Amino acid sequence: MYPPVPPLDNRSEMIRDNLPLIELVVQRMVSQVPSFMTKDDMTSAAMIGLTDAAKRFDSSKGVKFKTFAEYRMRGAILDEMRKLDWFSRTMREKQNQLTQTMLGLERRLGRSPNEEEMAQAMNITLDEYQSILSQVSHLGCVSLHETLDHSEEGRNFLDALEDIGGPTPTDIIEQEELTYLLAEILEELSEKERLVIALYYYEELTQKEIAEVISVSEGRVSQLHSQALLKLRVKLLNSDVMD
């Protein structure tokens, strides 16, 4: 059964009141999209997502409209990227190689491998490995906002750190399991990787701002971000295998 559609006047008001959110979402996602996708492309997609959110919003779910709208806008931008077919076969192959190499190393070592170990396993230099991280940085290895089961209302990593409504006992158990998993994963990241994740997702700094905070280049921030998200993805894949 579909949720009740808000009256037209209410929808118009929700869209109008949240127009500034479009610019915020676009700015937050600029570093996650390919260079040929312009801000105008992203803004148009985000506007579609906001309009769609106003049509689909169900206040009985206990979620704020702003939270729901941001989710729909991010999804609309990602959909637009897929339409532009930016995910090239070469990049898919590189991303898959990174994932499979890290999966194998983590299972053999019993921990997340560092960059030097990854480069050695791939028979390339450290510079070449970091170059690949930079190349796939826009492919979204995984996002803390991405749902774990890829459904519209599925759990995501950030849910473990937010309280957006009265949970059921089952929700609480699942939340505790996810929080424990997230804590385990973050513990295995390097100090700089953890800092990049914290500053990017929780402090909402741009990559340029993060580069200034941790005194590295903006390109290095992109590499650390990719490496951290790759570890998150691999840890999640391994946890699914063991469940």
Side-chain angles (χ1 to χ4, degrees), residues 77-92:
I77 291 173
L78 293 175
D79 285 344
E80 182 63 19
M81 285 193 294
R82 294 185 187 102
K83 290 177 184 178
L84 294 175
D85 195 28
W86 57 274
F87 210 174
S88 72
R89 178 176 298 180
T90 299
M91 289 298 101
R92 283 180 185 272

Side-chain angles (χ1 to χ4, degrees), residues 32-44:
Q32 302 174 30
V33 302
S35 58
F36 62 77
M37 188 175 190
T38 68
K39 283 191 176 182
D40 286 341
D41 294 331
M42 297 176 69
T43 299
S44 296

Side-chain angles (χ1 to χ4, degrees), residues 63-108:
V63 179
K64 294 180 180 179
F65 177 72
K66 181 180 178 181
T67 302
F68 181 69
E70 182 175 352
Y71 174 86
R72 301 299 301 189
M73 282 189 276
R74 288 176 58 84
I77 291 173
L78 293 175
D79 285 344
E80 182 63 19
M81 285 193 294
R82 294 185 187 102
K83 290 177 184 178
L84 294 175
D85 195 28
W86 57 274
F87 210 174
S88 72
R89 178 176 298 180
T90 299
M91 289 298 101
R92 283 180 185 272
E93 291 174 350
K94 288 183 177 181
Q95 184 190 47
N96 184 61
Q97 183 183 16
L98 287 172
T99 301
Q100 293 305 315
T101 299
M102 185 169 285
L103 270 171
L105 282 176
E106 183 174 88
R107 289 168 182 171
R108 179 162 60 86

Side-chain angles (χ1 to χ4, degrees), residues 97-98 116 118-130 132:
Q97 183 183 16
L98 287 172
E116 289 80 5
M118 285 288 292
Q120 184 177 8
M122 295 172 69
N123 294 316
I124 57 178
T125 66
L126 179 59
D127 285 344
E128 288 171 333
Y129 174 72
Q130 291 176 343
I132 293 176

Side-chain angles (χ1 to χ4, degrees), residues 32 39 41 89 97 128 136 140 162 189 200 216 235 241:
Q32 302 174 30
K39 283 191 176 182
D41 294 331
R89 178 176 298 180
Q97 183 183 16
E128 288 171 333
V136 303
E162 299 180 41
L189 300 182
Y200 188 81
V216 299
K235 194 72 175 179
V241 169

